[in-house]
Amino acid sequence: MTLTTKEKKALKSRGQKLADDARVGKEGLSDAMLAHIRAVLARNELAKVRFAEKLEGASRKSFAEELCAAIGAQCVAVVGRTVLVYKKKPEETA
């Protein structure tokens, strides 16, 4: 499922008020970091991830794609060194 423009706009608005949920350093996307981001997404559906290394243009987008593929989420926006990712909470069955 891809996000519509309207959905992305609403998520970006919510994301602006969020503090960084995770900071990815030199080690990159470790298993512990991915587990932490998954936990944040399970609680909030939205996570703001900042990466420390300066990546240029396509590298930022490829980092976002790699992150989203690893955690099964969708990229909402890439702004500077910050990636906003979204993953809908699973439906709870009664």
Side-chain angles (χ1 to χ4, degrees):
M1 174 186 127
T2 59
L3 296 170
T4 65
T5 305
K6 192 173 184 178
E7 291 170 328
K8 282 187 178 185
K9 185 177 178 182
L11 290 170
K12 284 181 191 178
S13 176
R14 277 181 48 199
Q16 290 221 336
K17 298 173 186 113
L18 292 177
D20 296 341
D21 292 310
R23 291 180 181 247
V24 178
K26 294 179 203 174
E27 298 81 30
L29 295 172
S30 65
D31 290 336
M33 179 60 67
L34 292 174
H36 172 70
I37 297 169
R38 282 187 194 105
V40 170
L41 287 171
R43 274 192 319 268
N44 303 334
E45 292 187 338
L46 197 60
K48 196 176 202 179
V49 181
R50 182 176 299 258
F51 46 95
E53 295 181 34
K54 281 197 166 188
L55 300 176
E56 299 300 324
S59 297
R60 290 183 283 173
K61 292 199 188 292
S62 63
F63 170 82
E65 290 171 4
E66 179 184 340
L67 171 64
C68 290
I71 60 177
Q74 295 180 18
C75 180
V76 176
V78 179
V79 179
R81 295 182 301 160
T82 305
V83 179
L84 188 63
V85 294
Y86 170 79
K87 184 174 182 180
K88 185 173 176 148
K89 286 184 185 179
E91 300 283 330
E92 291 186 24
T93 56

